[in-house]
Amino acid sequence: MRTQNMVPSITVDPSYFKQKTNDGVDPRHQHGINIVIEEIEGIIKVYKDGHVERPQIVPCVPTAVADPELGVTSRDTVIDKFTNIWARFYAPKLHGVNSNTNTMKKLPLLVYFHGGGFCVGSAAWSCYHAFLAKLAAKASCLIMSVNYRLAPEHPLPAAYEDGLRSLVWLKQQAFCERDGDDNNQWWSMQCDFSRIFLVGDSAGANIAHNVSTRLCSGTILSPLIIKGQILVQPFFGGEARTSSEKYYYMVQPRHSVLNLAASDTYWRLALPAGSSRDHPWCNPLANGSCSGVAMMVCISELDILKDRELEFCGAMGRAGKKVEYVVYKGVGHAFQVLDKSRLAQTRCHEMITHIKAFVDNN
């Protein structure tokens, strides 16, 4: 682990995206109006009239499905019924009573945002459910996995707003815990609200970083204290191509979940209409970051985002930010949730160990 102190693109106008009818079929498709304007094969298809199709590439699972040997309790909770934002909580076994204070041991809370290019993914996906249950158990932490709104129906900054909304909701739970409210959440008796970490992978890491940056603008979260960011393969971009973006197709694992064409499509669908990839939400180097919390960045050696993430770490270090990063050898983008090979499982174990160390030290 190491420590370190353009041409516009075309985006889809979000006004095109309409609600489906109750049966899930837009009536305009019954008349043959089905011109595809954006597509990532097998992942998402966007039609000119606003209809969006997302094949079920990963099954969604209920909270009860988890490795019983981990001893992790998981439940879903509504965060905002008006926007349909919810979160899946993970809590490891109770760790007993602190002999010095005669109180239940408090655990740090990781607020987690899933990946998927802002356009696909769910907190209920089986791959995230398995990974986060393991992370909660091995790292001895609580996890709040946020199911945010997706683009293109809800382009950025919707996901960032959902992240902030989740933290405001969390603040309310902290007050309930402090006041001994009987209606408080089942997990909060274990939660140390003064040790909150913003975490995510891929697009979720982008969300974690941008939410942290927005907190600099004056959002008051007391008694919550944000102690750090953990960015796993953060999905950043820019108009100028990096070497890893241009050449890593030659060494990427077969059937990699992120290639350059898919990356560009995700950004066209997620950014505000008319934006280029040098928009600061995409390219954090465009105007820097005001976040002062400690930061850990997890980078995959065979990821097209590798060089861009290393540039980000270097820039943050030069700006005086506390940044740690680690490069995982021989694996590609999202290996910790989508790659079942023996090497990927070894690297996943290493990543969980590194995350635990970062949380314990902050």
Side-chain angles (χ1 to χ4, degrees):
M1 184 179 293
R2 296 187 178 184
T3 304
Q4 294 183 336
N5 290 335
M6 309 165 217
V7 179
S9 57
I10 300 174
T11 53
V12 180
D13 187 334
S15 66
Y16 283 128
F17 299 99
K18 311 296 182 183
Q19 295 294 322
K20 300 177 184 177
T21 56
N22 290 334
D23 61 3
V25 178
D26 191 305
R28 288 168 290 185
H29 289 275
Q30 300 172 5
H31 298 90
I33 306 174
N34 58 354
I35 301 172
V36 176
I37 57 173
E38 291 285 4
E39 180 179 12
I40 302 174
E41 187 175 359
I43 296 178
I44 188 170
K45 186 180 292 186
V46 181
Y47 293 88
K48 185 176 181 180
D49 63 9
H51 179 66
V52 180
E53 293 179 359
R54 296 179 177 89
Q56 189 176 5
I57 55 178
V58 178
C60 291
V61 295
T63 56
V65 178
D67 185 347
E69 294 184 1
L70 294 175
V72 173
T73 301
S74 176
R75 298 180 190 173
D76 293 339
T77 301
V78 175
I79 302 300
D80 189 326
K81 64 181 180 180
F82 298 105
T83 55
N84 197 30
I85 306 307
W86 57 273
R88 178 162 294 186
F89 280 81
Y90 299 84
K93 289 180 180 178
L94 296 176
H95 286 242
V97 176
N98 187 313
S99 58
N100 294 324
T101 62
N102 199 34
T103 58
M104 185 67 65
K105 181 179 179 181
K106 300 289 187 178
L107 301 178
L109 174 65
L110 310 187
V111 180
Y112 196 95
F113 303 97
H114 66 77
F118 306 103
C119 298
V120 297
S122 169
W125 269 11
S126 60
C127 57
Y128 282 108
H129 189 68
F131 172 67
L132 294 180
K134 184 184 298 183
L135 179 60
K138 303 299 183 182
S140 299
C141 61
L142 300 167
I143 298 177
M144 173 185 176
S145 179
V146 180
N147 200 72
Y148 53 88
R149 290 173 293 172
L150 299 177
E153 300 94 326
H154 304 285
L156 296 175
Y160 305 151
E161 293 168 351
D162 294 345
L164 286 172
R165 186 177 291 110
S166 298
L167 291 176
V168 171
W169 178 88
L170 196 60
K171 170 184 175 178
Q172 296 169 346
Q173 310 315 305
F175 276 118
C176 289
E177 168 65 18
R178 189 180 66 177
D179 297 338
D181 191 331
D182 291 337
N183 294 322
N184 200 18
Q185 301 297 318
W186 59 276
W187 48 270
S188 63
M189 62 183 294
Q190 288 181 265
C191 186
D192 183 350
F193 289 99
S194 68
R195 296 183 67 206
I196 307 295
F197 294 82
L198 301 180
V199 192
D201 68 286
S202 194
N206 178 294
I207 295 170
H209 179 66
N210 276 286
V211 168
S212 181
T213 298
R214 284 176 169 234
L215 293 178
C216 300
S217 63
T219 302
I220 305 300
L221 290 178
S222 178
L224 302 186
I225 298 178
I226 308 299
K227 300 294 288 186
Q229 302 177 46
I230 303 173
L231 311 181
V232 180
Q233 303 135 358
F235 186 40
F236 296 141
E239 287 298 326
R241 302 297 194 190
T242 65
S243 294
S244 60
E245 288 173 335
K246 290 187 289 186
Y247 304 122
Y248 266 43
Y249 68 89
M250 295 183 291
V251 295
Q252 274 186 301
R254 191 177 181 185
H255 306 306
S256 175
V257 297
L258 184 67
N259 55 45
L260 195 57
S263 174
D264 289 352
T265 301
Y266 283 135
W267 283 120
R268 285 195 297 272
L269 294 175
L271 287 171
S275 300
S276 79
R277 292 190 305 274
D278 281 330
H279 191 291
W281 295 342
C282 175
N283 186 354
L285 302 186
N287 64 352
S289 168
C290 72
S291 177
V293 299
M295 189 182 303
M296 175 184 179
V297 183
C298 300
I299 301 170
S300 296
E301 182 186 29
L302 305 183
D303 191 349
I304 65 169
L305 300 176
K306 174 188 173 183
D307 288 351
R308 196 170 295 282
E309 292 161 352
L310 289 172
E311 289 177 1
F312 170 78
C313 292
M316 293 299 101
R318 289 190 295 274
K321 314 293 184 183
K322 181 183 177 183
V323 182
E324 301 177 8
Y325 72 86
V326 58
V327 178
Y328 296 91
K329 302 291 186 180
V331 288
H333 194 78
F335 73 87
Q336 73 282 356
V337 289
L338 295 177
D339 189 343
K340 300 302 181 183
S341 69
R342 181 175 298 180
L343 175 61
Q345 294 305 303
T346 298
R347 296 291 181 260
C348 182
H349 176 75
E350 293 171 358
M351 177 184 288
I352 290 175
T353 300
H354 294 149
I355 290 174
K356 174 176 172 53
F358 179 81
V359 171
D360 290 345
N361 291 331
N362 289 280

